Amino acid sequence: MAAESVAEGPKGPDRGGEWHQPGSGPGGPFRRPARQWARLGSRSGMVLAGLWLLALALAVRQAAAVLRLPQDERFVDLFAWIGDNGVLRVHGSLYDGETPFTGTPFAGLVLKPLTRAAEQGLGVAWTLGTLLLVAAVGVVAARALPGPVSRRTALFAVPVALSLLVLSVPVRNTFHLGQTSVLPVLLVLVGWLLGGENGQRARGAQGAYDGDAERGRKRALLGRLSGEVRGTIRGKAVAALGGKAGGVLIGVAGALQPATLLFVPLLWLTGRRTAAVSGAGTFLICTLATWAAMPGDSWTYWIHHVAGAGLGDPADATANQSLHGALLRAGLHGWPEAVPLAVMAGAVSWLALRRAVRYARDGQLLLAAAVVGCAAVAASPMAWQHQQLWVLLAVVGRVGRRSGDRLVWPVFVVMVMTLDGTALVPKVAAFDVLGQNAVLLAALLASCAVPFALRTSPAWARPEPSGPLSRPNLMLELLLIRVGYWAYSYVRGHAPDSRSLAEGHGHQILTAESFLHIDIEHSLNRLAARTEWLRDACDTYYTTFHFLVPIALLGWLYARRVPQYRPARTALSFATLLGLIGFWLYPLAPPRLMPGQGYIDTAHGPQDLSNPDFGALTQLSNQYAAMPSLHVGWSLWCAIVVFSLTRNLWLRALGALYPLLTTFVVMATANHYLLDAAGGVAVVTAGFYGQRWLARVRGGDGALPGADGTDGAEGAEGAE
């Protein structure tokens, strides 16, 4: 039987992608990376240093966020297990009591001896231990990237991986709950890569020998390859030993988290039969030994609750991102739920294994592990947030033939795994099911549907370039727009909202305007309040055009004026980002919320200024985000874009009129001061300067196409 081989060809970051054990090669584990860092240019070196500082800052921030909590609010699950009445301290069943244990009986058996140590080190020691596990997962994943990869990518991969892991919801949830779910992921990754890497190197050397023999050059290369053949024999022996050790690690992981047993058939299907047998045997030994020591708990977990289903929180909670949880949330129960669950789980597992075998034979071992891990998340009876780390690892898959299309999948995965699902979809009832099952959807796509590229594909290393005149990927644009709006709403809602501070800033604005003799808001507000048709028109204008016009203009640019779309979108993004910074640094009460000034809220009616909540209105968003006025800023952006698109005087006049009307409306409705409008003009101006700077950094001239007076039609037609 062939040795534990899984894939052909080079892999990993070194020497065409070969994955080396830490410390291998001359100079030890630190001198070689230091030399590689020194060979980077000054700009790349600064970027690499920044990435490491970012990863370190995120790790410290996460640890501090946990350690700042009171002890009874820190590591909620762990404290429930090891507290005075915790299930790991009493001599009764693990699965009785108000806070039952949710892990396997083997996990409880392993954790019991660690109870006292965990209790004594419930703060720093447990947090640092979890951080080390997360760091180990990041390093292993970064070193297992499918090659060939450049030296720069190899150096950047580790800090980027660590940052994404620390930011991800599974890791943050693990820290908060005190769970140990990172450990099975690490065991499986090391076990899967251990035998696979050794077998791959052995098979690569033998393939080189055989290929040269077929080309009739055996005699010329016999002397040089004889050493490689001897190395191949040794490599096969090492692969066999590594395969057995890898199988043991996967078996232990399965005893801790049963869903990872899906990697055992993957080992078998990729030719690693010894590892598959040792993995299954290890799992049986651990489980049967636990059954002998804890028969009642084993019966409860494996038989009564069918691998833990029903333990802990209700299975239909949105945190359970398995097929079982999705079907329960859809209203199915009993046999109508069990039958389709069995069919769907079996189909997902079968298809994922087939795809994973293909990617493993292509040399993409990390992607193969991620595909099977995503299937395990979907097919598991319970897949809580701290068990969903496999979905993030699927970010390594490459999709699309164009360089712009290749960004869609990693951006989608990172957004799903770092944000709440509702941030990805509009607040419309029809999209609620997508938001509630966003992680499950990503897991199903990764395991069953997304056509990840093979290394033999021409587009693997050289995708078609997406130049500045090409149309951006629509899915990526929609994702970024949606998440951008979510961030806009989030910052507005969470910016400092101290009433005294905001009103103090309001008095500063009124004083400055009075000194400059530009305090015209009160007169305009009174005019609108006493003129019914003007009041209604202003209220409708304020609540409608702010989003409608910019979105419509962006859509038209995307469809008809591609060269103008990219710079215009970038300028708007910069302006909005600066506006959010302004909301945070300078909370400002709008005129309608300034007590004693006589302003009338024409859109929402009188507000109870003696109530700190200001009625039901302020429960929706932070009402102290007035400086700068993005109503005016976005309308000015629209005017500038219209001027760059056409030479038609009427259209240009309408474009110029739009920000003027918007400025009048925001003051007539008592939502902004004139200086807020000036702030909106400032951030849009800075946004266009930022766009031009970014374009020059990328090698362009930074000018908005068509800004010289042409309508840009020729460039757009050429792009299309």
Side-chain angles (χ1 to χ4, degrees):
M1 181 181 68
E4 306 284 312
S5 59
V6 243
E8 300 178 5
K11 181 178 183 299
D14 305 308
R15 279 191 255 173
E18 190 175 353
W19 187 73
H20 289 277
Q21 296 288 346
S24 62
F30 301 108
R31 186 175 300 175
R32 186 167 174 268
R35 289 200 305 266
Q36 291 179 337
W37 194 331
R39 285 198 294 267
L40 289 174
S42 58
R43 181 178 298 178
S44 297
M46 292 178 61
V47 172
L48 180 59
L51 289 174
W52 273 110
L53 288 175
L54 176 62
L56 180 61
L58 290 174
V60 171
R61 178 182 178 275
Q62 182 60 62
V66 173
L67 296 176
R68 279 200 307 262
L69 295 173
Q71 185 167 343
D72 56 346
E73 298 179 15
R74 178 194 311 163
F75 308 129
V76 179
D77 284 356
L78 182 65
F79 188 79
W81 299 340
I82 68 174
D84 294 336
N85 298 315
V87 293
L88 296 180
R89 296 193 63 176
V90 300
H91 297 289
S93 173
L94 295 175
Y95 306 107
D96 290 338
E98 297 181 358
T99 56
F101 189 62
T102 56
T104 64
F106 176 76
L109 191 65
V110 170
L111 286 174
K112 273 197 172 185
L114 302 177
T115 299
R116 182 171 297 277
E119 189 174 21
Q120 294 173 349
L122 195 55
V124 178
W126 193 273
T127 302
L128 291 180
T130 305
L131 273 177
L132 290 176
L133 289 177
V134 172
V137 170
V139 171
V140 170
R143 297 298 302 274
L145 289 176
V149 293
S150 64
R151 180 176 67 251
R152 178 181 301 177
T153 302
L155 289 174
F156 287 3
V158 175
V160 170
L162 295 179
S163 298
L164 290 178
L165 285 171
V166 175
L167 285 173
S168 67
V169 174
V171 170
R172 299 202 313 261
N173 195 262
T174 296
F175 274 102
H176 174 67
L177 297 178
Q179 282 281 356
T180 59
S181 53
V182 177
L183 181 59
V185 174
L186 180 61
L187 292 175
V188 169
L189 279 181
V190 174
W192 167 246
L193 296 172
L194 185 61
E197 297 291 349
N198 292 329
Q200 184 174 300
R201 289 197 290 272
R203 189 170 182 174
Q206 184 65 49
Y209 177 84
D210 293 341
D212 290 332
E214 291 174 359
R215 294 183 179 90
R217 292 181 289 151
K218 181 195 301 183
R219 184 172 301 176
L221 299 176
L222 186 60
R224 181 170 61 86
L225 292 178
S226 59
E228 293 185 4
V229 173
R230 290 194 298 269
T232 298
I233 298 174
R234 291 193 299 269
K236 289 183 178 181
V238 173
L241 293 176
K244 291 180 180 179
V248 170
L249 294 178
I250 292 176
V252 173
L256 294 171
Q257 198 174 102
T260 57
L261 284 175
L262 195 58
F263 282 87
V264 171
L266 177 64
L267 292 172
W268 185 274
L269 293 174
T270 51
R272 300 169 62 180
R273 307 292 175 84
T274 304
V277 172
S278 63
T282 301
F283 168 76
L284 288 176
I285 291 173
C286 294
T287 303
L288 292 177
T290 308
W291 199 294
M294 308 166 64
D297 287 337
S298 298
W299 174 271
T300 300
Y301 183 88
W302 292 107
I303 306 299
H304 181 65
H305 282 284
V306 190
L311 293 173
D313 294 335
D316 60 352
T318 55
N320 178 20
Q321 289 290 299
S322 66
L323 288 170
H324 178 51
L327 292 176
L328 291 177
R329 288 190 290 273
L332 298 178
H333 299 277
W335 286 109
E337 188 266 338
V339 173
L341 173 62
V343 174
M344 294 169 65
V348 168
S349 301
W350 175 78
L351 186 56
L353 286 171
R354 287 194 59 182
R355 286 161 54 86
V357 169
R358 184 186 184 194
Y359 298 130
R361 289 174 176 167
D362 185 57
Q364 302 186 62
L365 296 185
L366 181 59
L367 178 59
V371 166
V372 176
C374 288
V377 169
S380 175
M382 313 293 284
W384 301 112
Q385 288 180 323
H386 54 275
Q387 299 168 335
Q388 299 163 10
L389 193 56
W390 293 108
V391 182
L392 182 61
L393 298 180
V395 76
V396 299
R398 301 188 184 184
V399 185
R401 294 184 176 275
R402 297 194 314 160
S403 57
D405 299 337
R406 186 153 290 179
L407 295 174
V408 179
W409 174 249
V411 168
F412 172 71
V413 171
V414 170
M415 288 179 175
V416 167
M417 299 311 297
T418 56
L419 302 174
D420 184 83
T422 57
L424 303 175
V425 295
K427 293 183 179 180
V428 180
F431 294 99
D432 285 347
V433 65
L434 297 178
Q436 293 175 358
N437 300 286
V439 176
L440 174 61
L441 176 63
L444 292 175
L445 289 174
S447 58
C448 302
V450 176
F452 297 115
L454 298 177
R455 295 194 303 165
T456 54
S457 170
W460 165 263
R462 294 181 178 85
E464 299 175 8
S466 297
L469 300 182
S470 64
R471 181 171 284 107
N473 185 281
L474 179 60
M475 182 62 67
L476 180 61
E477 294 296 300
L478 293 176
L479 275 174
L480 294 176
I481 289 173
R482 169 56 199 166
V483 173
Y485 176 69
W486 173 86
Y488 166 78
S489 302
Y490 181 87
V491 172
R492 275 193 61 118
H494 291 79
D497 60 354
S498 168
R499 178 183 176 184
S500 59
L501 179 62
E503 291 178 357
H505 289 160
H507 286 294
Q508 292 176 2
I509 295 293
L510 289 172
T511 302
E513 289 189 348
S514 177
F515 176 78
L516 298 172
H517 301 289
I518 58 174
D519 49 339
I520 61 175
E521 300 89 358
H522 195 276
S523 299
L524 297 179
N525 180 237
R526 285 294 182 181
L527 174 64
R530 67 172 177 257
T531 310
E532 183 177 355
W533 68 267
L534 181 59
R535 181 190 63 217
D536 294 340
C538 288
D539 292 345
T540 302
Y541 186 104
Y542 182 81
T543 57
T544 303
F545 287 87
H546 178 47
F547 293 107
L548 180 61
V549 176
I551 290 176
L553 189 54
L554 277 174
W556 191 82
L557 286 173
Y558 182 87
R560 302 297 301 169
R561 294 291 187 266
V562 179
Q564 288 92 343
Y565 173 79
R566 290 178 183 271
R569 173 253 284 149
T570 303
L572 182 63
S573 301
F574 275 134
T576 304
L577 177 61
L578 293 174
L580 296 181
I581 295 174
F583 296 159
W584 194 276
L585 296 180
Y586 195 78
L588 174 63
R592 61 184 175 81
L593 293 182
M594 287 294 293
Q597 300 298 320
Y599 291 100
I600 300 173
D601 188 344
T602 62
H604 307 99
Q607 295 291 309
D608 182 9
L609 300 183
S610 63
N611 184 348
D613 292 332
F614 299 125
L617 176 64
T618 53
Q619 295 177 5
L620 302 178
S621 64
N622 181 5
Q623 299 300 298
Y624 295 142
M627 172 63 82
S629 171
L630 288 185
H631 281 79
V632 174
W634 289 4
S635 64
L636 177 62
W637 172 87
C638 293
I640 295 173
V641 171
V642 169
F643 263 71
S644 71
L645 290 176
T646 181
R647 298 172 61 182
N648 186 290
L649 293 179
W650 288 104
L651 291 177
R652 285 191 167 190
L654 287 175
L657 185 61
Y658 181 44
L660 296 177
L661 281 176
T662 302
T663 303
F664 172 83
V665 167
V666 297
M667 290 190 294
T669 56
N671 279 283
H672 287 284
Y673 307 94
L674 183 58
L675 287 181
D676 295 346
V681 172
V683 296
V684 169
T685 303
F688 276 101
Y689 273 109
Q691 174 267 320
R692 300 188 101 180
W693 171 81
L694 183 62
R696 287 169 182 167
V697 169
R698 293 178 173 178
D701 59 7
L704 192 66
D708 57 353
T710 64
D711 60 7
E714 293 180 1
E717 291 172 0
E720 295 175 13

